[in-house]
Amino acid sequence: MIKKNLFKTAILGLAVLCIAACGSGKKAGSTADIVAKASKMPLEKLEAAAKAEMEASNDTFKIVGLTSALKTAATKFAEHYDWLHYGTKDGKDNVYVNNSYKDYTLLTALEVADKTYFADYALVQDVRSLADYDAAGIVCNFVPSDWKEMGLSEADTYPLKGIHFNKIFYTNTNFEKVTGKKLYNIWQLAGTSADPDHLDKVSFQSPVTEQINMSFLLSCEAPANQARIEKAYKNYYNKDWSASETGYASAGEQWVTEMIANISRWHASDGTAMKETQLKYDWDRGYVYYGAFAKMKDAATKYYGGIVGADPSFYEKEDVKDKNGKVIGKAGTIQAKKTVQFDWEIDGFNGFMYTMCSQIVNNAAHPYTACLFARFLLTKECYEAMVYNSATPSADGKKANQYGYYFPCSNDITYAKGDWDKDTHIAREINENYAFLKNIKVSQVNKLLALVTSNSKATEVTKQEQAEDEAKK
C-alpha cells in the first residue's frame, strides 16, 4: 500500500489505494502483458484486436473518469468504429461511461481492480497519486506505437497524457477599481500587509480534498522552479532571496508557507467561484482566485443582473438564447465570462499546468479496446469533438478550444478569443512534473496540511461571507 497519501485515511475516511503503471518493475499480470503487446502494435493490428475482443464479449466496454468530455469522446469513438455502440437508446449499447467522479473518489473506486473487474479505461488526474500507486498493478500505462507520428512528446507518454488542464490566478474586472492595485507578482499573495501592493483576499480550494491543489503547492517547492520564484522575489522586494535571511530552505517554501497563511477563503467549488461568486457576490470584495481555467465554459452560459457599477458594455442588449432557442440570458444581464480577468502578467507564474492521464485498468475485460480508446483520445478528430465549443468562440466567431483544455499532441487547434496557446500557458505556469512528484514524502504533504489546518482566518471569513451571501439571496 502507498505511503505518501496516508493522510487521506484520517482526513477523508477513505481507503488508501495503490495504482501502478506498467514498467514499475513489479510482476506483470495478464492485463499488463496485453497492454505491453498493444503498445507495440501498429494501428491496424490494434483495431483488429479490439474489434475481435468486443465481438467476442457479452459485456460493455467501461470508461471511468473526471470530465464530462469523456461522453463526447465515447460518442465519437463509437461513430468511428461501427462495432461499437453508445447512446443508441435501443438497448444495443456496448459502451458505458461514468464521468461523475472526483479525483480521490475515482482512486478509491479503482481499488477493487486489484482483485476483480471494475472498468477498462480510466482518465485519472494528478500524477503524484499515480506515482504513489506504482506497486499494486491497479492500472497499466499504454503508449501508442506511433506516438511520434501523432506529435506526442516522449515526456507525455509516461504516464500517457490524455488532456492538459490548468488552474490559474484570476480576478474579476472590478478588481482594480476596488483595490486600487494590479496583480503583477506572486509575492503580492504572500508576505504581510507592510509589503507593497499586498493582496490579502485570496480564494483557494482546500488541498485537503482537492489533490491537484496539493500537487501545485508541492511543485512550487521543486528545485526546477526556484529560479523563477527567486527572480519574482527580487523584482518585488528589490533584493536577492536569501535562505539565511529568510530562514526558509527555498524561495518556493517561503512563498507556499506565506501564501497559505494569506488565504482568506476556502471555496468549495472552482466552477461556482468562476461562474457565480466572482460576479454575483464578490463584485466589490477584491478577491484573487485560484481555480480551474476550464470552468470558463460554465461562466460562458451564466448571466446575472443587479450588478451595481458594472461597465455598461457588459450588459446584454437583448435576450441571449442557446442553440435550441431557450433564453439563457435576459436583456440587461451580464455574462459571467465577461467579468473574469485572467490575462494578468504575473511575475513568477500565472498558475499550474497539469494533465488527466489515460490508464488501462487492471483486470480489464477489454484491454485492447481500452488501448485503442486511449489512442483515439489523442486524435484531433476526437479532441475537437470533445472540447470545441460555440460558447467560447475564436476571435473570428468560429467554434474553438474551450478555455483550460489543451491538446497533448500539437498546437494545431483554434483557441478561444483572448486565450493563450498551450505553449504560452506552459511557459507562464508551474508545470506538473512526474519525476519530481513521484518522490514526494509523507512529511512534505503533512507539513502543508498542518499549514492549511492552522489557517483559522480563512475558516472564519468563509463562514462570515457565506452568511452574507445567504442574506443576499
Side-chain angles (χ1 to χ4, degrees):
M1 303 302 285
I2 60 173
K3 298 185 292 181
K4 298 176 206 165
N5 283 338
L6 287 174
F7 72 90
K8 289 183 188 175
T9 303
I11 295 176
L12 302 175
L14 299 174
V16 182
L17 342 163
C18 300
I19 295 182
C22 297
S24 64
K26 300 298 177 180
K27 183 178 179 180
S30 59
T31 303
D33 291 340
I34 292 172
V35 171
K37 292 177 183 177
S39 295
K40 298 177 182 179
M41 289 180 173
L43 177 60
E44 294 78 9
K45 286 191 175 181
L46 180 59
E47 288 173 330
K51 181 180 180 181
E53 180 178 71
M54 289 303 299
E55 289 178 343
S57 175
N58 293 319
D59 296 322
T60 58
F61 169 57
K62 294 182 181 179
I63 300 167
V64 295
L66 310 169
T67 172
S68 57
L70 278 175
K71 289 190 174 181
T72 306
T75 299
K76 202 68 180 176
F77 190 47
E79 289 175 1
H80 196 84
Y81 295 106
D82 59 11
W83 37 272
L84 293 169
H85 309 283
Y86 179 67
T88 59
K89 298 181 181 180
D90 58 5
K92 295 182 179 180
D93 280 13
N94 59 358
V95 178
Y96 166 82
V97 179
N98 185 340
N99 62 281
S100 62
Y101 291 98
K102 295 292 185 180
D103 50 7
Y104 58 88
T105 57
L106 175 57
L107 295 172
T108 302
L110 280 167
E111 186 182 33
V112 300
D114 185 38
K115 302 293 183 182
T116 187
Y117 173 59
F118 167 68
D120 299 293
Y121 169 93
L123 189 64
V124 186
Q125 181 174 285
D126 188 10
V127 300
R128 179 174 61 93
S129 295
L130 285 177
D132 283 348
Y133 310 141
D134 192 29
I138 300 298
V139 299
C140 294
N141 192 68
F142 163 74
V143 181
S145 62
D146 56 348
W147 61 268
K148 289 182 181 179
E149 291 80 2
M150 295 185 75
L152 196 65
S153 70
E154 187 172 5
D156 288 341
T157 62
Y158 190 91
L160 182 67
K161 306 300 187 289
I163 309 174
H164 288 281
F165 288 89
N166 60 345
K167 292 202 176 193
I168 61 169
F169 288 107
Y170 66 95
T171 68
N172 64 26
T173 54
N174 203 36
F175 175 80
E176 285 187 73
K177 180 180 177 180
V178 173
T179 65
K181 303 170 184 176
K182 293 181 181 293
L183 176 56
Y184 62 88
N185 193 299
I186 58 170
W187 288 96
Q188 290 176 271
L189 308 179
T192 70
S193 58
D195 295 332
D197 297 329
H198 177 70
L199 298 170
D200 63 356
K201 285 194 172 182
V202 179
S203 189
F204 196 91
Q205 195 171 11
S206 174
V208 172
T209 53
E210 184 73 353
Q211 295 298 295
I212 199 67
N213 282 6
M214 176 61 75
S215 287
F216 161 64
L217 297 173
L218 291 164
S219 295
C220 290
E221 298 188 19
N225 295 321
Q226 297 316 296
R228 68 194 300 176
I229 297 174
E230 289 178 17
K231 181 180 178 182
Y233 181 95
K234 183 172 183 177
N235 291 342
Y236 185 66
Y237 288 109
N238 295 314
K239 61 180 179 179
D240 290 330
W241 182 85
S242 168
S244 59
E245 180 180 335
T246 64
Y248 290 95
S250 70
E253 181 186 8
Q254 179 180 352
W255 183 83
V256 167
T257 301
E258 294 180 355
M259 194 279 294
I260 291 175
N262 196 44
I263 292 170
S264 53
R265 182 173 63 202
W266 303 113
H267 62 252
S269 165
D270 283 351
T272 300
M274 185 173 281
K275 73 183 179 183
E276 180 177 31
T277 311
Q278 59 86 13
L279 174 60
K280 188 175 181 181
Y281 298 113
D282 283 356
W283 185 245
D284 291 321
R285 283 175 174 164
Y287 264 100
V288 176
Y289 307 84
Y290 175 82
F293 195 30
K295 300 306 178 181
M296 282 283 277
K297 73 179 186 300
D298 301 326
T301 59
K302 295 296 180 180
Y303 295 78
Y304 300 99
I307 311 302
V308 179
D311 186 327
S313 68
F314 286 165
Y315 290 98
E316 298 299 331
K317 302 299 186 294
E318 55 187 40
D319 289 352
V320 179
K321 300 178 181 179
D322 64 15
K323 62 183 180 181
N324 298 316
K326 179 182 177 182
V327 175
I328 57 174
K330 293 183 178 181
T333 60
I334 297 175
Q335 182 193 42
K337 182 175 78 71
K338 290 182 179 179
T339 62
V340 176
Q341 186 163 348
F342 64 85
D343 56 348
W344 294 100
E345 296 282 347
I346 305 176
D347 197 354
F349 47 83
N350 281 66
F352 184 52
M353 179 69 85
Y354 61 99
T355 56
M356 288 186 182
C357 299
S358 287
Q359 297 290 283
I360 315 306
V361 184
N362 189 42
N363 287 312
H366 313 97
Y368 285 116
T369 310
C371 292
L372 184 62
F373 181 72
R375 185 195 178 280
F376 186 74
L377 202 70
L378 294 171
T379 63
K380 190 175 179 182
E381 172 191 356
C382 183
Y383 182 79
E384 290 185 356
M386 284 193 299
V387 299
Y388 270 38
N389 194 323
S390 58
T392 53
S394 65
D396 57 5
K398 296 179 180 179
K399 282 188 177 182
N401 187 73
Q402 292 178 10
Y403 299 96
Y405 293 75
Y406 303 98
F407 191 28
C409 286
S410 74
N411 277 332
D412 183 24
I413 56 176
T414 303
Y415 288 95
K417 182 180 179 180
D419 197 3
W420 306 325
D421 63 30
K422 182 184 72 174
D423 288 344
T424 301
H425 277 292
I426 287 174
R428 293 187 180 186
E429 293 156 14
I430 295 290
N431 290 273
E432 183 181 57
N433 185 290
Y434 179 80
F436 170 75
L437 289 169
K438 71 184 180 69
N439 292 316
I440 292 297
K441 296 180 172 60
V442 173
S443 59
Q444 293 170 275
V445 173
N446 286 341
K447 180 192 71 173
L448 297 186
L449 288 173
L451 293 173
V452 168
T453 56
S454 66
N455 184 341
S456 57
K457 176 183 73 171
T459 302
E460 291 305 314
V461 171
T462 301
K463 290 179 181 179
Q464 176 186 338
E465 292 185 347
Q466 284 175 341
E468 292 173 359
D469 295 346
E470 283 295 320
K472 292 179 181 178
K473 293 181 179 179

